[in-house]
């Protein structure tokens, strides 16, 4: 018997600056903030123990926030104490998160928000397939694709 497809709950992203990440996902992409930034420390509390089970001993301290998309997909953002940028921001030959795509029916408006001062110079907009909707993409630590239709999200 074929299993019933499951719904997608959330993705966890490690970010260098939690406050700026929240500002981007809330103000540019319109995500809902469902849990404001919270500090978590490595201790004997239930949350401290759970994090130690996931990250191993010695993770120390972090800040975390939860956001959600319009269709209730969660974005869990982590800012770890002592974090560091990856040596290769997009090592496409290495297994792991490659990119994620977000649909937006107002792609032009969202695109203008992406191109605000200080935005990545890797922002582009175009058609990957001539008969499909326009797609915008931006390298924002983790590559992000903005798609104006459901068909276009096949890129992810």
């Amino acid at each position: 018997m074929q299993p019933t497809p499951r719904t997608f709950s959330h993705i966890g992203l490690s970010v260098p600056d939690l406050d700026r990440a929240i500002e981007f996902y809330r103000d540019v992409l319109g995500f809902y903030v469902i849990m404001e930034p919270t500090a978590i420390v490595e201790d004997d509390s239930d949350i401290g123990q759970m994090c130690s089970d996931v990250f191993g001993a010695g993770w120390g301290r972090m800040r975390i926030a939860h956001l959600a998309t319009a269709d209730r997909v969660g974005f869990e953002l982590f800012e770890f104490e002592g974090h560091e940028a990856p040596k290769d921001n997009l090592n496409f030959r290495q297994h792991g998160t490659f990119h994620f795509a977000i649909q937006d029916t107002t792609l032009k408006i969202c695109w203008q928000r992406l191109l605000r001062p200080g935005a990545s110079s890797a922002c582009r907009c175009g058609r990957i397939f001539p008969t499909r909707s326009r797609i915008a993409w931006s390298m924002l630590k983790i590559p992000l694709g903005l798609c104006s239709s459901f068909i276009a999200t096949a890129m992810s």
Side-chain angles (χ1 to χ4, degrees):
M1 177 177 208
Q2 186 73 4
T4 303
R6 305 301 189 258
T7 57
F8 192 86
S9 171
H10 72 277
I11 185 169
L13 304 175
S14 180
V15 298
D17 184 326
L18 185 63
D19 298 312
R20 286 190 64 209
I22 291 169
E23 180 182 313
F24 172 77
Y25 288 109
R26 182 193 61 218
D27 299 346
V28 175
L29 298 180
F31 289 12
Y32 303 107
V33 176
I34 57 176
M35 185 183 97
E36 295 291 335
T38 304
I40 309 290
V41 296
E42 185 174 12
D43 62 14
D44 291 332
S45 68
D46 288 340
I47 187 72
Q49 288 295 308
M50 182 190 74
C51 290
S52 292
D53 290 344
V54 173
F55 307 127
W59 59 272
R61 184 180 189 282
M62 70 169 166
R63 293 176 64 221
I64 185 173
H66 292 243
L67 292 88
T69 64
D71 57 349
R72 300 184 311 236
V73 173
F75 269 65
E76 193 172 18
L77 302 177
F78 297 87
E79 178 188 297
F80 286 93
E81 183 177 72
H83 61 83
E84 60 186 54
K87 289 175 180 51
D88 183 352
N89 190 45
L90 182 58
N91 187 348
F92 57 89
R93 296 193 192 282
Q94 184 175 338
H95 295 270
T97 303
F98 179 38
H99 77 275
F100 59 93
I102 296 172
Q103 287 181 216
D104 191 322
T105 57
T106 59
L107 185 61
K108 282 186 178 180
I109 294 168
C110 191
W111 183 249
Q112 290 168 347
R113 284 178 278 175
L114 267 177
L115 293 178
R116 72 198 189 290
S120 169
S121 61
C123 295
R124 295 185 187 268
C125 188
R127 293 182 192 272
I128 293 177
F129 302 104
T131 60
R132 303 274 171 90
S133 298
R134 293 181 66 80
I135 296 174
W137 59 93
S138 175
M139 306 305 273
L140 300 165
K141 297 297 178 198
I142 292 181
L144 160 69
L146 295 174
C147 306
S148 61
S149 75
F150 181 76
I151 291 173
T153 62
M155 64 181 269
S156 59

